[in-house]
Amino acid sequence: MTDTCIRDCHALVPDASGSLTIARNQDILVRGGRIAELRPTGGPLEAGVTVLEGQRMLAMPGLINTHAHVPMVLFRGLAEDVPIERWFNEFIWPLESNLTEADVYWGAQLGLLEMIEGGVTTVADHYFHMDRVAQAVEEAGTRAHLGWAVFGSNGYKVLAETAAFAERWRGGAGGRITTCMAPHAPYTCDDGFLRASAGHANRLGIGIHIHAAEEMNQTNASLEKRGLTPIQVLKDTGVLGVPTLIAHGCGLLPQDIELLEKHRASVGIAHAPKTYLKLAMGMTPIRALRKAGIAVGLATDGAVSNNTLDIFESLRLMTMMQKHEAMDPEVLPIPEALDIATRGSAAALGMGDRIGKLAPGYQADLILVDTRGAHWQPPHNLAAGLVYSARASDVHTVMVEGRVLMRERRHLTLDKERILNEVASTMERMARRVPESRIQSYKP
Amino acid sequence: MTDTCIRDCHALVPDASGSLTIARNQDILVRGGRIAELRPTGGPLEAGVTVLEGQRMLAMPGLINTHAHVPMVLFRGLAEDVPIERWFNEFIWPLESNLTEADVYWGAQLGLLEMIEGGVTTVADHYFHMDRVAQAVEEAGTRAHLGWAVFGSNGYKVLAETAAFAERWRGGAGGRITTCMAPHAPYTCDDGFLRASAGHANRLGIGIHIHAAEEMNQTNASLEKRGLTPIQVLKDTGVLGVPTLIAHGCGLLPQDIELLEKHRASVGIAHAPKTYLKLAMGMTPIRALRKAGIAVGLATDGAVSNNTLDIFESLRLMTMMQKHEAMDPEVLPIPEALDIATRGSAAALGMGDRIGKLAPGYQADLILVDTRGAHWQPPHNLAAGLVYSARASDVHTVMVEGRVLMRERRHLTLDKERILNEVASTMERMARRVPESRIQSYKP
């Protein structure tokens, strides 16, 4: 791979105090898949570098989706305006009984296509038939943190098989794939199963990606049934003893945050506000989590609840909802919102030393956002533009480890036409619901 | 103008019960600026019609922005993360002292450009130097409901001048422009001034567009000062005796809704949820208003609070916020959300008999939304797509009164390059803030 210079872009970088700001008219030199240098534009170029023109583009770290079920794009729009119990029992879990391995592969390709178009370079995916997701990621050229979802009812043998997946793909796709254990949730996995999950994770030196305290009703049900919150269950079963990525935390109590604070070096919270609004799940207490030093990252969840895999949308909703809930427009100002979207998300995945920042030594996972649209004019405040005006469709160029995956919105790794055709061909079959064949029951 | 046939599109239309649904594979015949017929595609075409291919496009009524300050796009991004008092007193009102008539003209052009690109065909604009806004609307080819904003401190003479504007432009741009009186708000206009505004409106047979009960603090301040809510003030001063468009109503009390119910034939509420979230203003009680039969429409407010003039974004936020606030995901289901975005907004402007519906006899103000993007796939549910997946950038074709304003995202009426250059040339001057020169003080 040749070295690349992104010339004369604006760049989202930390200032001297660490706060994110826009450095105007920068060159970004990429060498060996990493960022080598950021410098004011206008100097001489190194011999042999490939130049990517960046005028009126805003360079920022590639977006990170800290919790998704990517292949669920196949079911987009099939479960609308229903409460969470019906959403699971009458829609999602019956629908998922339709899935074949091939469906998961094409669903993953479609989701990756949508995410690349929206500037997402890393996704933490939590789903089934994960070898096929890993294959799709390898082909797409993105980065991913993959866990094979299992329920307690699947049994310990399946848990061992998903541990084998984690071992098989750890470091896959030239190091772009990391893996984890992915027990579904405390309300679908008994304590022994969670303990066994933590055991596999410990043995392999990896983490756990799990749903917990998704909404307050779950927390209350857990307290009623056993006198413990879902987070206390994670503690007691050893899950918090390994690096843990928790979705979604709308049901966190103050004592849960105290508990998580003790594990803050290795705990992250994935926040998917669009799903919470659509399903009326409440909202993650982001300010309290941040105050306790716990990493919070942005997420989209699956497209059956979230409809899109758009992290710009998650960023905007997170920021606005925190102001609304606090009844204070000064809460979560723009630099902090951008911090969560970049360094926060990277830290939530335990990758804060490698991605989420435009700085020498970091992976060259970055995007160029086109600021030439009418909705960006006049460009008084590009940072505000990123939070409040940017659309996924403004993403112009996407790079992962120095390799360009999309340029001028043309895909260089994925075959868009083929993917859309393959997905269209299974559309009718995907929409069939057989309630009796549901893969699981929701009863927290 | 020749007749046009939009061929083989999907169309958002009322079903037999009046609920909005998607009719697939329709031809839409447009004749004399109006919709003449919707019919299943495949039949023979009338001689001499111009064909617009609509395959995989979704036709819907042109979006309506029921409350904006369009030229404020000039200040986009200049007032972030501040409470409403500082927003007005330290930012908006000092900034607005920079404005010249020419600025308003180019700001209006930029805002119209952004709105056309986002499928907005009608805007209710409430601003200054409105002759220049009217001129911009005339050139852009859109529809607009225009009121010249005045404060009580401007005096009665200026009120008479703005009434003269309303008279001058009423029926302007070939009938596409309607006008109204636009006193700013009960907290900036005394009772006599409001009464005089209603007097002018009565005399001219037009309505009033006004801010009232924008947030609960305003309502409380009014109750404290004079024992009346802002809505009661509108009643007592005769404002509610003429057609009234009220922004934003986050401070409505139950007794206000009862009062508005009595005037529901001629009252509309403009709802701009993004602004409310950003400024932590609370939320309009849409369900109670709709239950009382009061028209609610979607809006963006100005771009200094809302950052974008994107009605798809307002639609999505409205829908999700109503679910969130009610803690009930079944609230405001998709057909009702689309009803508000189309017929509701038209009714709020008193134009429900002319726009907001794809039906014979209605104005041919319509847009084609491109459903081919990855974020729309697979297209199980196009109505859900409109509410939860559509982006302003999906708008492919925009038509007003049968005239195409944008096709394949190319503008046919506005000169985008010139507008962006003109706006860029004044950018530095626009950003200057001289607190002493503020045009008004916020002290409700």
Side-chain angles (χ1 to χ4, degrees), chain A residues 81 274 313 316 323 393, chain B residues 81 313 316 323 388 393:
Chain A
D81 301 319
K274 189 177 178 187
E313 194 174 30
R316 189 169 310 168
K323 293 176 187 293
S393 52
Chain B
D81 301 319
E313 193 174 32
R316 189 169 309 168
K323 293 175 186 296
Y388 293 118
S393 52

Side-chain angles (χ1 to χ4, degrees), chain B residues 23-284:
Chain B
R24 294 205 174 223
N25 304 108
Q26 300 288 301
D27 284 0
I28 302 176
L29 186 66
V30 173
R31 183 176 286 153
R34 289 172 188 265
I35 296 170
E37 192 183 353
L38 285 96
R39 61 195 180 203
T41 195
L45 285 182
E46 285 75 4
V49 298
T50 303
V51 172
L52 288 185
E53 294 296 346
Q55 285 83 12
R56 301 191 66 192
M57 301 282 158
L58 206 166
M60 70 179 293
L63 296 170
I64 299 166
N65 187 347
T66 64
H67 177 74
H69 314 287
V70 177
M72 289 183 89
V73 290
L74 296 171
F75 306 122
R76 194 191 318 257
L78 286 177
E80 300 295 339
D81 301 319
V82 291
I84 196 163
E85 298 80 7
R86 292 187 56 210
W87 186 86
F88 270 124
N89 288 330
E90 296 179 28
F91 293 88
I92 303 317
W93 284 335
L95 287 167
E96 285 182 335
S97 72
N98 292 332
L99 284 174
T100 68
E101 276 200 45
D103 296 332
V104 165
Y105 173 73
W106 289 110
Q109 291 248 332
L110 174 60
L112 289 164
L113 191 78
E114 180 184 352
M115 286 192 283
I116 291 172
E117 291 182 358
V120 176
T121 54
T122 297
V123 64
D125 201 42
H126 191 285
Y127 211 54
F128 313 114
H129 302 306
M130 292 302 287
D131 287 287
R132 308 310 300 271
V133 175
Q135 184 191 347
V137 166
E138 189 164 36
E139 292 166 12
T142 56
R143 197 177 299 283
H145 185 60
L146 304 179
W148 190 313
V150 275
F151 304 100
S153 60
N154 295 143
Y156 289 80
K157 180 164 167 285
V158 173
L159 194 60
E161 286 166 16
T162 66
F165 159 79
E167 201 167 3
R168 191 158 60 241
W169 278 96
R170 178 169 50 168
R176 299 196 316 275
I177 291 178
T178 53
T179 57
C180 57
M181 297 301 293
H184 177 261
Y187 62 85
T188 50
C189 301
D190 61 40
D191 288 8
F193 197 79
L194 292 176
R195 240 177 243 116
S197 301
H200 283 295
N202 256 318
R203 178 175 59 83
L204 298 171
I206 59 177
I208 287 181
H209 182 177
I210 190 166
H211 304 84
E214 295 181 291
E215 55 153 10
M216 204 54 82
N217 290 334
Q218 284 177 12
T219 303
N220 291 337
S222 179
L223 280 169
E224 207 164 293
K225 274 188 195 162
R226 51 189 302 185
L228 295 171
T229 68
I231 301 301
Q232 288 168 327
V233 172
L234 296 189
K235 162 88 171 42
D236 291 354
T237 53
V239 170
L240 294 186
V242 301
T244 313
L245 175 60
I246 298 172
H248 302 271
C250 298
L252 291 176
L253 296 175
Q255 62 261 40
D256 294 323
I257 295 176
E258 277 174 39
L259 188 50
L260 292 172
E261 186 174 2
K262 290 182 191 145
H263 298 272
R264 66 185 178 188
S266 59
V267 160
I269 305 285
H271 176 69
K274 189 176 178 186
T275 284
Y276 312 154
L277 293 174
K278 280 196 68 201
L279 285 170
M281 290 166 62
M283 207 44 65
T284 322

